[in-house]
mmCIF file of all heavy atoms in Angstrom:
data_model
loop_
_atom_site.group_PDB
_atom_site.id
_atom_site.type_symbol
_atom_site.label_atom_id
_atom_site.label_comp_id
_atom_site.label_asym_id
_atom_site.label_seq_id
_atom_site.Cartn_x
_atom_site.Cartn_y
_atom_site.Cartn_z
ATOM 1 N N LEU A 157 24.815 52.990 -63.011
ATOM 2 C CA LEU A 157 24.504 52.171 -64.182
ATOM 3 C C LEU A 157 23.815 53.045 -65.243
ATOM 4 O O LEU A 157 22.904 53.810 -64.946
ATOM 5 C CB LEU A 157 23.585 51.013 -63.782
ATOM 6 C CG LEU A 157 23.350 49.938 -64.819
ATOM 7 C CD1 LEU A 157 24.620 49.144 -65.080
ATOM 8 C CD2 LEU A 157 22.257 48.988 -64.340
ATOM 9 N N ASP A 158 24.285 52.956 -66.486
ATOM 10 C CA ASP A 158 23.744 53.685 -67.631
ATOM 11 C C ASP A 158 23.918 55.207 -67.545
ATOM 12 O O ASP A 158 23.201 55.957 -68.190
ATOM 13 C CB ASP A 158 22.260 53.342 -67.874
ATOM 14 C CG ASP A 158 22.092 51.952 -68.456
ATOM 15 O OD1 ASP A 158 22.969 51.496 -69.224
ATOM 16 O OD2 ASP A 158 21.082 51.297 -68.132
ATOM 17 N N THR A 159 24.903 55.669 -66.767
ATOM 18 C CA THR A 159 25.156 57.109 -66.698
ATOM 19 C C THR A 159 26.244 57.552 -67.664
ATOM 20 O O THR A 159 26.444 58.739 -67.855
ATOM 21 C CB THR A 159 25.555 57.548 -65.275
ATOM 22 O OG1 THR A 159 26.755 56.838 -64.903
ATOM 23 C CG2 THR A 159 24.444 57.275 -64.278
ATOM 24 N N CYS A 160 26.961 56.574 -68.266
ATOM 25 C CA CYS A 160 28.001 56.901 -69.234
ATOM 26 C C CYS A 160 28.302 55.650 -70.067
ATOM 27 O O CYS A 160 27.805 54.557 -69.771
ATOM 28 C CB CYS A 160 29.267 57.412 -68.560
ATOM 29 S SG CYS A 160 30.161 56.177 -67.603
ATOM 30 N N TYR A 161 29.128 55.808 -71.075
ATOM 31 C CA TYR A 161 29.486 54.705 -71.971
ATOM 32 C C TYR A 161 30.069 53.516 -71.217
ATOM 33 O O TYR A 161 29.687 52.366 -71.435
ATOM 34 C CB TYR A 161 30.474 55.214 -73.030
ATOM 35 C CG TYR A 161 30.941 54.122 -73.957
ATOM 36 C CD1 TYR A 161 30.136 53.704 -75.019
ATOM 37 C CD2 TYR A 161 32.165 53.509 -73.770
ATOM 38 C CE1 TYR A 161 30.556 52.688 -75.866
ATOM 39 C CE2 TYR A 161 32.607 52.501 -74.610
ATOM 40 C CZ TYR A 161 31.796 52.086 -75.666
ATOM 41 O OH TYR A 161 32.202 51.081 -76.495
ATOM 42 N N ALA A 162 31.027 53.778 -70.324
ATOM 43 C CA ALA A 162 31.710 52.689 -69.627
ATOM 44 C C ALA A 162 30.762 51.856 -68.780
ATOM 45 O O ALA A 162 30.947 50.647 -68.648
ATOM 46 C CB ALA A 162 32.836 53.246 -68.748
ATOM 47 N N TYR A 163 29.734 52.487 -68.202
ATOM 48 C CA TYR A 163 28.813 51.783 -67.322
ATOM 49 C C TYR A 163 27.468 51.481 -67.989
ATOM 50 O O TYR A 163 26.443 51.369 -67.313
ATOM 51 C CB TYR A 163 28.613 52.577 -66.024
ATOM 52 C CG TYR A 163 29.858 52.593 -65.177
ATOM 53 C CD1 TYR A 163 30.609 53.750 -65.041
ATOM 54 C CD2 TYR A 163 30.306 51.442 -64.537
ATOM 55 C CE1 TYR A 163 31.775 53.767 -64.286
ATOM 56 C CE2 TYR A 163 31.467 51.442 -63.779
ATOM 57 C CZ TYR A 163 32.194 52.606 -63.659
ATOM 58 O OH TYR A 163 33.344 52.618 -62.905
ATOM 59 N N ALA A 164 27.473 51.321 -69.302
ATOM 60 C CA ALA A 164 26.253 50.937 -70.025
ATOM 61 C C ALA A 164 25.838 49.549 -69.563
ATOM 62 O O ALA A 164 26.664 48.639 -69.441
ATOM 63 C CB ALA A 164 26.506 50.940 -71.530
ATOM 64 N N SER A 165 24.559 49.358 -69.303
ATOM 65 C CA SER A 165 24.074 48.070 -68.789
ATOM 66 C C SER A 165 24.302 46.924 -69.763
ATOM 67 O O SER A 165 24.331 45.762 -69.361
ATOM 68 C CB SER A 165 22.592 48.169 -68.411
ATOM 69 O OG SER A 165 21.818 48.523 -69.538
ATOM 70 N N ASP A 166 24.501 47.240 -71.041
ATOM 71 C CA ASP A 166 24.770 46.178 -72.023
ATOM 72 C C ASP A 166 26.246 46.125 -72.413
ATOM 73 O O ASP A 166 26.623 45.474 -73.388
ATOM 74 C CB ASP A 166 23.904 46.361 -73.264
ATOM 75 C CG ASP A 166 24.168 47.667 -73.996
ATOM 76 O OD1 ASP A 166 24.910 48.534 -73.475
ATOM 77 O OD2 ASP A 166 23.635 47.833 -75.098
ATOM 78 N N GLY A 167 27.108 46.772 -71.616
ATOM 79 C CA GLY A 167 28.532 46.828 -71.927
ATOM 80 C C GLY A 167 29.363 45.756 -71.238
ATOM 81 O O GLY A 167 28.921 45.080 -70.309
ATOM 82 N N GLU A 168 30.599 45.648 -71.701
ATOM 83 C CA GLU A 168 31.511 44.625 -71.193
ATOM 84 C C GLU A 168 31.840 44.794 -69.710
ATOM 85 O O GLU A 168 31.952 43.809 -68.989
ATOM 86 C CB GLU A 168 32.804 44.618 -72.018
ATOM 87 C CG GLU A 168 32.626 44.042 -73.407
ATOM 88 C CD GLU A 168 32.103 42.597 -73.386
ATOM 89 O OE1 GLU A 168 32.664 41.769 -72.652
ATOM 90 O OE2 GLU A 168 31.132 42.327 -74.118
ATOM 91 N N LEU A 169 32.021 46.023 -69.247
ATOM 92 C CA LEU A 169 32.369 46.239 -67.846
ATOM 93 C C LEU A 169 31.258 45.748 -66.919
ATOM 94 O O LEU A 169 31.519 45.064 -65.931
ATOM 95 C CB LEU A 169 32.679 47.712 -67.587
ATOM 96 C CG LEU A 169 33.062 48.074 -66.158
ATOM 97 C CD1 LEU A 169 34.366 47.376 -65.759
ATOM 98 C CD2 LEU A 169 33.220 49.576 -66.025
#
Side-chain angles (χ1 to χ4, degrees):
L157 190 68
D158 287 327
T159 60
C160 68
Y161 177 80
Y163 292 109
S165 60
D166 62 351
E168 288 301 311
L169 180 63

